[in-house]
Amino acid sequence: MEDIEIAQRNEANEIQPITKIAADLGLTADEVEQYGPYKAKISTAALQRMRKRPNGKLVLVTAINPTPAGEGKSTVAVGLADAMHRMGQKAVLALREPSLGPVMGMKGGATGGGYAQVVPMADINLHFTGDMHALTSAVNTLAALIDNHLQQGNALHIDPRRIQWKRVLDINDRALRHVNIGLGGPTSGVPREDGFDITVASELMAVLCLAEDLADLKQRIARIVVAYTYDRTPVTVDMLGVTGAITMLLKDAIKPNLVQTLEHTPVLIHGGPFANIAHGCNSVVATRTALELGDVAITEAGFGADLGAEKFLDIKAPVLGKTPDAVVLVATLRALKYNGGVARRDLQATDPAAVRAGFANLQRHIHNLQQYGLPVVVAINAFANDDPAEMQLVQDLCADQGVKAVPVTVWADGGAGGAALATAVNDALSTQHQFQPLYTDTMPVEDKIQTVVQKIYGGRDVAYARKAQRALKTIKANGWDHLPICVAKTQYSFSDDPKLLGAPTNFTIHVSDIIPKVGAGFLVVMTGTVLTMPGLPKHPAANDIDIDANGHITGLF
Amino acid sequence: MEDIEIAQRNEANEIQPITKIAADLGLTADEVEQYGPYKAKISTAALQRMRKRPNGKLVLVTAINPTPAGEGKSTVAVGLADAMHRMGQKAVLALREPSLGPVMGMKGGATGGGYAQVVPMADINLHFTGDMHALTSAVNTLAALIDNHLQQGNALHIDPRRIQWKRVLDINDRALRHVNIGLGGPTSGVPREDGFDITVASELMAVLCLAEDLADLKQRIARIVVAYTYDRTPVTVDMLGVTGAITMLLKDAIKPNLVQTLEHTPVLIHGGPFANIAHGCNSVVATRTALELGDVAITEAGFGADLGAEKFLDIKAPVLGKTPDAVVLVATLRALKYNGGVARRDLQATDPAAVRAGFANLQRHIHNLQQYGLPVVVAINAFANDDPAEMQLVQDLCADQGVKAVPVTVWADGGAGGAALATAVNDALSTQHQFQPLYTDTMPVEDKIQTVVQKIYGGRDVAYARKAQRALKTIKANGWDHLPICVAKTQYSFSDDPKLLGAPTNFTIHVSDIIPKVGAGFLVVMTGTVLTMPGLPKHPAANDIDIDANGHITGLF
């Protein structure tokens, strides 16, 4: 059965009014702003009231280096929350907001899967409460204001070749990657080279996700560097005089969105920045609210733990003011085999030797998380044809490391399939631990990078391209070197080579550029090229989607 | 006091929950989908239930040829509805949805003004319920799918030089008018010339506004011609196989939005196509719903009556299946003087001779509407410094034509300032009348154009450029000549010359091109160039807008 079919059947029969979900969390009807019967934003007044509450425990869900199909982090996170909910715990999930682009392309939605889904599934994957659209509007309004500044005399002396701020669409549209704009003569703009990103790749998404409230959002927007002048002085939004207008466009987008799982567990879905050129976590506002509303807050971070968890711990946690009390590391037999050297087409076959080889990848992630001082539980996300002996092998290998590994069948069974995981996580939550930060703000940028490369990736050293060396100088000259780093790297390997699977060592990380994101508050360390505007495949998902006269949708994944 | 200040004070003190407004209309809580406490969409089930109700009376609000500042059609429409509401009538207003672009530029919002406003003002002018954003997404998704078709082998043999479908943003962004896309090598698309329009200028907006329901929307989308092949065969959305996906993106956008005036009169704000290259009216769904919910439905059409009313009567009314029972023709002293030859900077000065001269413009609009067999009432939208003698002069001149003219002060006084107008409109509504269509579907396209030029504009003849002649052949060859025409012309003159004010005669209309919009169901007759992507001014409104930490907005008009 398709995910959308499971979701729509449930929505017709069992979904609860969002006001009921809110009431169970102690929110009054006045404190939620409904978007239809099953979605709501939490009001600013409610958020302010919550700030006085004590925090619950925080669980971070992350994963080993995945196969290109993904290993089901969101599905496991949903299933874990449902399992705790069934056990009578007050669990609140905080997830990322899906992008519309992939829905029409290949990847499909991002609301979990099977019986571990968040609903209303179609709405969340399409326009939801309009956050992505508000961001798209704000990013493009700012871009239009920059080009208008050029057109109207360029009082700030902006160098049209050094405009950093790109337009965005929440669409997979490769034809917009490289464009020439401002053509058609003097009344139609100043000609220049430009390009569009997908909305979630914009710095403004990261800004929204790291802002603590509307006031902090405004300050971060004011600081965004949109361009450089002819003499290389940074030009900020503040200098353009449009901070208020851009902030206004996000006045509702900053409020977290409340929805529910198929099992009526409350979920905050809010914000979804890229996990390479940004930090790949849902918003600070949503995670903080989940901590205040629940006894346990469960959240996730994009890609494998080398990217997602590292950025959660080194970028998001300092803003949040809270580190995880336990980490769930999601693995699958197929990802272990893939890391063990098996080709994609052969991942279905039983191959315990490959599982054993690929375990090196899982082992390093466990080690990395333990370096931070965090209790780790491994969740083996089970597929229908998984071999029981291989499942046992992974559990045994983990036990050898002193780590509990638990098979979960939440896709097929919902919360019931996550009961053992919930028990293991609760055990981990009661463990004494002391968080150890990886690096400090005051370390030189090169040292921060070297630390992440050695301690997390297991690499040897770092090579800087000429462009990256120049960027380091700019960063120091402008006093941006206190910012944490955000490495843009392949998600398939600890190294910067997507084919170097498992647990490689002695490799060099090649830094091609370092891009300061002063509004978001991090330095993007580029390793190779990152595609920030995806394309559509030969047979796009759009060709399989349909809707009938009654609004019933088919073909949406 | 700024409009936003009047609106925000009222919102804090007096605005009613939208469920209360809905209940007063006989809609249950289940029949509205709330978007926050003060906005709602009416559910499909409710719309279907309404279809069984008898229609109320229909009032169309239109205007004389305006000054560049606009003459306050929306404000008068709001004030008239409020006046009827005060008199105990069940009046429902159906207005167009504002575009975000102008809010950041110059024109400002489109929710009436002063004490004749629709609220929540900021929300309606910004993201509202996401209809514009859904349209932007759908238009750009379709564009990405077309470019992806080129990229993936171009099985349909689309001529990249003859792609009709343009991307859109709901932003004033002149630098996107003319762009080159698909640059950067073979993996980043097929290079071609392109350009962006503002969202409201897209055919998809017109399609949404003329669709009767989701099923009709889907059929219209399927018919949209997005390109021509190398051998000039039209390529439709249906041929691309993505009708379902694009329709799905509009599943909520097709539901009309319910809000309220400052005096709690119900308002449906839904859809807002351009009034030149499209038909400039709110949606058929909203107007029909207003007719079913109210004893009197009041709606408006963009620009002067030569464009707005003509298109309402010849394009929208046949789909709606209902013609107006009375027409309110809005005039101002300044617009009469402007039509009487006074320069913009001198419009404040008393000048009865100019008023008398400009009356020729009003007189022709009255005559035109009477040609359709419609009862006409003139509303003189009063400004603070208007001369009472000039006001009386207009009333006298109208009386000479057998038409009632009523001063209204709704900007300053709300519904109380529209009481006399409401009485006059009620008198008109009880008048016996017989609607006379202007032309028939089966007339040749050239005859339809000639009819509008002679009978509405008062012109003599029509000259077709070579391109327009070729377009006529294409239209006939493809069997599109049964469609009504939609003339894209300056709003300032009956002619195609914006400087030819008053009531010119003996002029020629120059048709440069005729663009079939097969999904919307009309032929756009181009007279000169029409800017479908506005630019920002030297000092954009964005520079004056601010929001504080509590979400209080200033500088929004």
Side-chain angles (χ1 to χ4, degrees):
Chain A
M1 194 152 45
E2 288 180 0
D3 285 354
I4 178 71
E5 215 179 320
I6 295 173
Q8 283 186 152
R9 279 189 191 195
N10 172 284
E11 284 163 34
N13 300 324
E14 292 171 46
I15 195 169
Q16 293 188 347
I18 198 64
T19 44
K20 166 80 168 66
I21 303 291
D24 291 348
L25 288 170
L27 295 167
T28 68
D30 280 358
E31 291 183 323
V32 292
E33 297 166 2
Q34 289 189 64
Y35 283 68
Y38 308 120
K39 297 165 285 177
K41 282 189 169 284
I42 299 179
S43 76
T44 306
L47 295 175
Q48 285 165 353
R49 182 168 73 80
M50 293 303 123
R51 287 304 95 98
K52 293 166 195 131
R53 287 200 185 178
N55 275 351
K57 298 276 191 180
L58 181 61
V59 177
L60 173 66
V61 178
T62 183
I64 67 169
N65 292 99
T67 70
E71 308 320 310
K73 272 191 309 292
S74 302
T75 304
V76 170
V78 171
L80 172 60
D82 281 340
M84 288 181 160
H85 186 70
R86 279 171 181 244
M87 292 162 76
Q89 286 181 278
K90 209 166 174 183
V92 180
L93 197 58
L95 296 179
R96 286 171 296 164
E97 215 162 322
S99 165
L100 183 51
V103 170
M104 293 294 173
M106 210 151 54
K107 181 174 164 286
T111 45
Y115 288 89
Q117 279 193 71
V118 187
V119 286
M121 182 267 211
D123 281 12
I124 297 170
N125 278 302
L126 300 179
H127 311 295
F128 200 22
T129 59
D131 295 343
M132 290 286 174
H133 294 322
L135 279 161
T136 303
S137 271
V139 170
N140 294 332
T141 296
L142 180 51
L145 287 161
I146 295 165
D147 274 297
N148 189 56
H149 186 87
L150 296 183
Q151 174 79 5
Q152 306 287 357
N154 198 8
L156 291 170
H157 303 288
I158 292 172
D159 183 344
R161 304 162 305 175
R162 289 196 168 81
I163 293 175
Q164 311 290 305
W165 196 254
K166 289 169 76 178
R167 288 169 177 82
V168 297
L169 287 179
D170 190 18
I171 288 174
N172 289 9
D173 193 351
R174 72 168 66 72
L176 295 181
R177 278 179 201 152
H178 305 284
V179 299
N180 288 339
I181 65 166
L183 308 177
T187 61
S188 293
V190 175
R192 64 183 186 89
E193 288 183 34
D194 201 7
F196 284 66
D197 287 337
I198 192 163
T199 301
V200 291
S202 176
E203 181 178 357
L204 200 60
M205 171 59 97
V207 165
L208 183 80
C209 287
L210 290 168
E212 300 195 56
D213 52 27
L214 195 60
D216 184 34
L217 177 67
K218 195 172 166 183
Q219 284 168 18
R220 286 172 182 270
I221 288 172
R223 286 198 296 265
I224 292 173
V225 174
V226 297
Y228 293 89
T229 63
Y230 286 105
D231 64 4
R232 312 287 176 93
T233 308
V235 177
T236 62
V237 174
D238 192 40
M239 290 161 73
L240 285 167
V242 296
T243 303
I246 302 304
T247 307
M248 176 186 70
L249 289 171
L250 300 175
K251 74 180 177 67
D252 295 310
I254 197 174
K255 300 173 193 166
N257 308 295
L258 179 64
V259 284
Q260 64 190 291
T261 68
L262 288 176
E263 301 188 3
H264 314 136
T265 307
V267 189
L268 296 169
I269 293 201
H270 193 223
F274 253 33
N276 43 35
I277 54 118
H279 64 293
C281 306
N282 69 284
S283 76
V284 162
V285 172
T287 305
R288 182 170 291 165
T289 306
L291 284 164
E292 290 157 351
L293 289 172
D295 294 330
V296 183
I298 298 160
T299 192
E300 55 155 358
F303 290 166
D306 52 325
L307 289 165
E310 186 274 317
K311 292 173 184 181
F312 184 94
L313 298 168
D314 294 325
I315 298 173
K316 179 173 169 178
V319 180
L320 184 64
K322 167 87 184 161
T323 54
D325 298 293
V327 178
V328 173
L329 189 50
V330 177
T332 58
L333 292 182
R334 73 180 182 198
L336 288 166
K337 289 178 209 171
Y338 186 70
N339 272 293
V342 176
R344 278 179 74 180
R345 63 179 176 283
D346 299 327
L347 293 174
Q348 301 287 339
T350 307
D351 189 344
V355 170
R356 197 177 285 271
F359 181 75
N361 185 272
L362 179 56
Q363 192 177 355
R364 184 175 293 167
H365 286 296
I366 292 169
H367 167 79
N368 287 348
L369 293 162
Q370 288 174 338
Q371 273 191 108
Y372 285 99
L374 299 172
V376 179
V377 176
V378 171
I380 316 172
N381 189 18
F383 289 73
N385 298 323
D386 279 351
D387 177 52
E390 287 185 348
M391 291 296 262
Q392 188 58 51
L393 174 61
V394 180
Q395 289 171 269
D396 294 345
L397 290 167
C398 285
D400 292 345
Q401 304 291 320
V403 169
K404 178 101 180 158
V406 189
V408 296
T409 58
V410 297
W411 196 100
D413 303 325
L421 177 63
T423 302
V425 170
N426 281 325
D427 289 347
L429 287 175
S430 59
T431 310
Q432 282 294 327
H433 72 279
Q434 178 65 46
F435 181 78
Q436 301 291 337
L438 192 69
Y439 60 76
T440 60
D441 281 359
T442 51
M443 278 166 67
V445 176
E446 297 93 320
D447 291 2
K448 291 176 187 169
I449 298 172
Q450 183 71 28
T451 302
V452 170
V453 168
Q454 284 186 349
K455 292 206 174 171
I456 302 294
Y457 303 163
R460 191 184 52 214
D461 53 16
V462 185
Y464 293 90
R466 183 74 67 84
K467 199 170 180 187
Q469 291 170 359
R470 278 200 303 267
L472 279 170
K473 282 187 194 155
T474 303
I475 288 162
K476 280 168 202 166
N478 286 291
W480 297 327
D481 42 351
H482 65 287
L483 296 174
I485 58 164
C486 178
V487 181
K489 183 182 71 66
T490 175
Q491 62 171 316
Y492 298 115
S493 171
F494 277 109
S495 77
D496 58 11
D497 174 0
K499 301 214 169 97
L500 214 53
L501 305 181
T505 51
N506 282 321
F507 56 83
T508 299
I509 288 282
H510 304 85
V511 175
S512 55
D513 196 2
I514 306 177
I515 304 166
K517 300 286 183 187
V518 184
F522 52 67
L523 307 171
V524 181
V525 177
M526 301 292 289
T527 67
T529 51
V530 173
L531 210 59
T532 48
M533 173 53 98
L536 290 167
K538 177 104 184 165
H539 185 88
N543 285 71
D544 300 321
I545 291 172
D546 204 3
I547 185 167
D548 70 14
N550 299 315
H552 188 84
I553 294 168
T554 47
L556 187 68
F557 290 94
Chain B
M1 194 150 49
E2 286 180 0
D3 284 354
I4 180 71
E5 215 179 320
I6 295 173
Q8 283 186 152
R9 281 189 191 195
N10 172 284
E11 284 163 35
N13 300 323
E14 294 172 44
I15 195 169
Q16 293 188 346
I18 199 63
T19 44
K20 166 80 168 66
I21 303 291
D24 291 348
L25 287 169
L27 295 168
T28 67
D30 281 356
E31 291 183 324
V32 292
E33 298 165 2
Q34 289 188 65
Y35 284 67
Y38 308 121
K39 299 166 283 179
K41 282 191 170 281
I42 299 179
S43 76
T44 307
L47 295 175
Q48 284 165 355
R49 181 168 75 79
M50 293 302 123
R51 288 302 97 96
K52 294 169 193 129
R53 287 199 184 177
N55 275 351
K57 298 276 192 180
L58 181 61
V59 178
L60 174 67
V61 178
T62 183
I64 68 168
N65 292 98
T67 70
E71 307 321 310
K73 274 193 307 291
S74 302
T75 303
V76 169
V78 171
L80 172 60
D82 281 341
M84 288 181 160
H85 186 69
R86 280 170 180 245
M87 292 161 76
Q89 286 182 278
K90 208 167 175 183
V92 180
L93 198 56
L95 296 180
R96 286 171 296 163
E97 214 161 322
S99 166
L100 183 51
V103 170
M104 293 294 171
M106 209 151 54
K107 185 177 161 284
T111 45
Y115 289 88
Q117 279 193 70
V118 187
V119 286
M121 182 268 211
D123 282 11
I124 298 170
N125 278 302
L126 299 179
H127 310 295
F128 200 22
T129 59
D131 295 343
M132 290 287 175
H133 293 323
L135 280 161
T136 302
S137 270
V139 170
N140 293 334
T141 296
L142 181 51
L145 287 160
I146 295 165
D147 274 297
N148 188 56
H149 186 87
L150 296 183
Q151 175 78 6
Q152 306 286 358
N154 198 8
L156 291 169
H157 303 287
I158 291 171
D159 184 344
R161 302 162 306 175
R162 291 198 166 82
I163 293 175
Q164 311 291 304
W165 196 253
K166 289 169 78 178
R167 289 169 177 81
V168 298
L169 287 179
D170 191 19
I171 288 173
N172 290 8
D173 193 350
R174 71 166 68 71
L176 295 181
R177 277 179 201 151
H178 304 285
V179 299
N180 288 340
I181 66 167
L183 308 177
T187 61
S188 293
V190 175
R192 64 183 186 88
E193 289 184 32
D194 200 9
F196 284 66
D197 287 338
I198 192 162
T199 301
V200 291
S202 176
E203 180 178 356
L204 200 61
M205 171 58 99
V207 164
L208 183 80
C209 287
L210 289 168
E212 300 194 56
D213 52 27
L214 195 60
D216 185 34
L217 176 66
K218 194 172 167 185
Q219 285 169 17
R220 287 173 183 269
I221 288 172
R223 286 199 296 265
I224 292 172
V225 174
V226 296
Y228 293 89
T229 64
Y230 286 104
D231 64 4
R232 311 288 176 89
T233 308
V235 177
T236 63
V237 174
D238 192 39
M239 290 161 72
L240 285 166
V242 296
T243 304
I246 303 304
T247 307
M248 178 187 68
L249 290 171
L250 301 175
K251 75 180 176 65
D252 294 309
I254 197 174
K255 300 173 194 166
N257 308 296
L258 180 64
V259 283
Q260 63 190 291
T261 68
L262 289 177
E263 301 188 2
H264 314 137
T265 307
V267 188
L268 296 168
I269 293 201
H270 193 223
F274 254 34
N276 43 35
I277 54 116
H279 65 293
C281 307
N282 70 283
S283 76
V284 162
V285 172
T287 306
R288 182 170 291 165
T289 306
L291 284 163
E292 290 158 351
L293 290 171
D295 294 331
V296 184
I298 298 161
T299 192
E300 56 155 356
F303 289 165
D306 52 326
L307 288 164
E310 187 274 317
K311 292 173 185 181
F312 184 94
L313 298 168
D314 295 326
I315 297 174
K316 178 173 170 177
V319 180
L320 184 64
K322 167 87 183 162
T323 53
D325 298 294
V327 178
V328 172
L329 190 50
V330 177
T332 58
L333 292 182
R334 71 180 182 198
L336 288 166
K337 289 178 208 171
Y338 186 71
N339 272 292
V342 176
R344 279 179 74 178
R345 63 180 176 281
D346 299 328
L347 292 174
Q348 301 287 340
T350 307
D351 190 343
V355 170
R356 195 177 287 272
F359 182 75
N361 185 273
L362 180 56
Q363 191 176 357
R364 184 176 292 168
H365 286 296
I366 293 169
H367 167 77
N368 287 348
L369 293 162
Q370 288 174 338
Q371 274 191 109
Y372 284 99
L374 298 172
V376 179
V377 176
V378 171
I380 316 172
N381 188 19
F383 289 74
N385 298 322
D386 280 349
D387 178 52
E390 286 185 348
M391 291 296 262
Q392 188 58 52
L393 174 61
V394 181
Q395 290 173 267
D396 293 345
L397 290 167
C398 285
D400 291 346
Q401 304 290 321
V403 169
K404 178 100 178 159
V406 189
V408 295
T409 58
V410 296
W411 197 99
D413 303 325
L421 177 62
T423 302
V425 170
N426 281 324
D427 289 348
L429 287 175
S430 59
T431 310
Q432 282 294 326
H433 72 279
Q434 176 65 46
F435 182 76
Q436 301 290 336
L438 192 69
Y439 59 76
T440 60
D441 281 358
T442 51
M443 278 167 68
V445 176
E446 297 93 321
D447 291 3
K448 291 175 187 167
I449 298 171
Q450 184 70 30
T451 302
V452 170
V453 168
Q454 284 188 350
K455 292 204 172 172
I456 301 295
Y457 303 163
R460 191 183 53 214
D461 53 15
V462 185
Y464 293 88
R466 182 74 67 85
K467 199 171 180 186
Q469 291 169 359
R470 279 200 303 266
L472 279 169
K473 281 186 195 156
T474 303
I475 288 161
K476 280 169 202 165
N478 286 291
W480 297 328
D481 42 351
H482 65 285
L483 296 173
I485 58 164
C486 178
V487 181
K489 182 181 71 66
T490 175
Q491 61 171 317
Y492 299 115
S493 170
F494 277 110
S495 77
D496 57 12
D497 173 1
K499 300 213 170 96
L500 213 54
L501 305 181
T505 51
N506 282 321
F507 57 82
T508 299
I509 289 283
H510 304 85
V511 176
S512 55
D513 196 1
I514 305 177
I515 304 166
K517 300 286 184 188
V518 184
F522 51 66
L523 307 170
V524 180
V525 178
M526 301 292 290
T527 68
T529 51
V530 173
L531 211 60
T532 48
M533 174 53 97
L536 291 167
K538 178 108 185 162
H539 185 87
N543 285 72
D544 300 322
I545 292 172
D546 204 3
I547 185 167
D548 70 15
N550 299 313
H552 188 85
I553 295 167
T554 47
L556 187 68
F557 291 94

